[in-house]
Amino acid sequence: MTGLPYLAARVFNTPLLIQRAKLDVILSVLAPKFELQTMPPPQMGPPQPAPPRVGDAQGIAVLPIHGTLVQRTGGLDAMSGLISYESIAARLDAALSDQSVRGIVLDVDSAGGEAAGVFDLADRIRAGRDHKPIWAVANDAAFSAAYALASAAERVFVTRTAGLGSIGVIALHVDQSQRDTNQGLHYTPILAGARKNDGNPHEPLTPEARASIQTEVNRLYELFVLTVAHHRGLSADAVRQTEAGLFFGQDAIDAGLADRLGTLGDAVQQMHTELDAAARPPFLEFPSMSTPESTAPAVDAAAVRAQAQADALAIAELCELAGQPALTAAYLAEGITAATARQRLLGLRAQSLEITSHLSPSGPAPEADAAHNPLIAAVQARAAAVRSHI
């Protein structure tokens, strides 16, 4: 096993979800070494345990996503700064199953990496939100594959100096046939299947091979676009219109790729606050008599006074007509209605032995002369007296 072929095979002729500047850095390291035929295998050593979960006493797990993203590291983590989707998934699953963890914050600082495995991990992050809140912080880079992961979080923070985006796919082919000629080397492939030699670095890229690589780049780009659109609630056209550009600070928020400015500490503290608020029992707020929502419709005080006066007058008149004026004060103090007063007075009259009738049911009704009726005159006089004292 040699390290150079292993790395070269993961960089050339394969679609990558990586920021172009980062790819140039990798190429600057690999290109001078093409003259080397072999290099010592990396020191494997004993397997290193996964980094411990970074969290705090209040149950927020911070998962670092730092370095170049690959599906598997092959033991090259220490020497190359790689981080695998497998290791991220393992720590994510551990945090989701840990009962002491209330929420998860992804601390993202990566220019992206391999396409293989990134969308599966993004789906796991999205699914994990059904169990615990998962937020992400671009701290200070979340480009390409790294943004595919960050976009799956429920909320994305970006620091004032951080960047995210680069929603695109790139593949490189290295034609080293001229170098081979200069060195007097000639490679003759012997193969079965016309397309078996596509992407051969020892000859120029054929049109058919280029079209094949472009087809795969387009397929992955469409998958990338739809993934971000789904996670961020954007239209696919809006994501395509970013043209794989880089967005920093507030511009990332304006483009819909992030939600708010803030540091990793801000995100952790805000998650604490929201989880604590959600854990408190709801406060039962009783309606206040002074609030517009809880008060009865406004009452016309003048109308109430007028109605009270009319009721008092009616009771006084009823008592006068019934020959019981002394009951007026008691009825008014008791607060009964005129209808109740009428019923009581009728009951008293029914119990009196002095009640006699001089009217014959079959006889003619007496002529009514309101002007000379003494009862009506007495009521009118009583009503006038009551009015003068109200």
Side-chain angles (χ1 to χ4, degrees), residues 72-115:
R72 300 178 186 86
T73 57
L76 296 176
D77 306 60
M79 65 171 274
S80 60
L82 305 180
I83 181 172
S84 71
Y85 299 130
E86 286 183 341
S87 66
I88 298 171
R91 281 177 283 164
L92 175 67
D93 291 344
L96 288 172
S97 61
D98 189 338
Q99 297 300 317
S100 67
V101 173
R102 301 191 299 160
I104 301 169
V105 176
L106 307 178
D107 175 17
V108 184
D109 189 8
S110 170
E114 289 185 342

Side-chain angles (χ1 to χ4, degrees), residues 69-363:
L69 300 169
V70 295
Q71 187 173 23
R72 300 178 186 86
T73 57
L76 296 176
D77 306 60
M79 65 171 274
S80 60
L82 305 180
I83 181 172
S84 71
Y85 299 130
E86 286 183 341
S87 66
I88 298 171
R91 281 177 283 164
L92 175 67
D93 291 344
L96 288 172
S97 61
D98 189 338
Q99 297 300 317
S100 67
V101 173
R102 301 191 299 160
I104 301 169
V105 176
L106 307 178
D107 175 17
V108 184
D109 189 8
S110 170
E114 289 185 342
V118 64
F119 299 116
D120 293 336
L121 179 56
D123 288 345
R124 292 175 74 166
I125 294 172
R126 175 79 184 207
R129 290 164 43 181
D130 295 336
H131 305 281
K132 295 178 182 180
I134 301 177
W135 297 358
V137 182
N139 184 36
D140 260 346
F143 295 120
S144 212
Y147 183 69
L149 302 181
S151 71
E154 182 178 357
R155 194 175 302 176
V156 178
F157 287 70
V158 57
T159 68
R160 289 175 295 175
T161 58
L164 44 73
S166 188
I167 305 170
V169 183
I170 189 170
L172 290 180
H173 171 263
V174 175
D175 177 7
Q176 62 181 48
S177 58
Q178 184 61 51
R179 192 203 70 166
D180 295 339
T181 299
N182 294 339
Q183 292 183 339
L185 300 175
H186 179 73
Y187 293 83
T188 303
I190 300 171
L191 51 90
R195 308 295 299 277
K196 187 65 176 179
N197 199 39
D198 280 0
N200 176 17
H202 301 291
E203 63 182 34
L205 194 64
T206 66
E208 294 80 8
R210 181 185 181 91
S212 177
I213 296 174
Q214 184 66 60
T215 297
E216 179 61 6
V217 166
N218 293 344
R219 185 186 74 85
L220 290 173
Y221 176 63
E222 189 67 12
L223 181 57
F224 196 176
V225 166
L226 294 178
T227 295
V228 172
H230 174 64
H231 290 164
R232 296 295 303 166
L234 301 171
S235 69
D237 286 341
V239 177
R240 292 190 189 96
Q241 287 171 7
T242 66
E243 295 293 348
L246 309 183
F247 298 83
F248 296 86
Q250 183 62 43
D251 289 342
I253 298 174
D254 295 340
L257 302 182
D259 299 297
R260 62 195 66 186
L261 290 173
T263 65
L264 177 62
D266 294 334
V268 171
Q269 183 56 51
Q270 185 164 340
M271 182 176 282
H272 274 313
T273 301
E274 295 188 14
L275 288 173
D276 289 345
R280 285 195 293 267
F283 176 70
L284 298 179
E285 188 173 281
F286 292 96
S288 171
M289 294 302 294
S290 61
T291 60
E293 295 81 6
S294 59
T295 55
V299 177
D300 188 341
V304 172
R305 287 194 297 270
Q307 184 61 47
Q309 292 174 356
D311 290 344
L313 178 59
I315 291 175
E317 290 176 344
L318 289 171
C319 291
E320 186 71 27
L321 287 171
Q324 301 285 347
L327 294 176
T328 301
Y331 285 174
L332 292 177
E334 190 177 349
I336 64 175
T337 65
T340 301
R342 181 182 297 108
Q343 292 176 353
R344 292 186 182 182
L345 291 169
L346 289 175
L348 292 174
R349 291 294 298 265
Q351 295 172 7
S352 174
L353 298 177
E354 298 178 356
I355 297 178
T356 59
S357 176
H358 301 285
L359 300 177
S360 171
S362 60

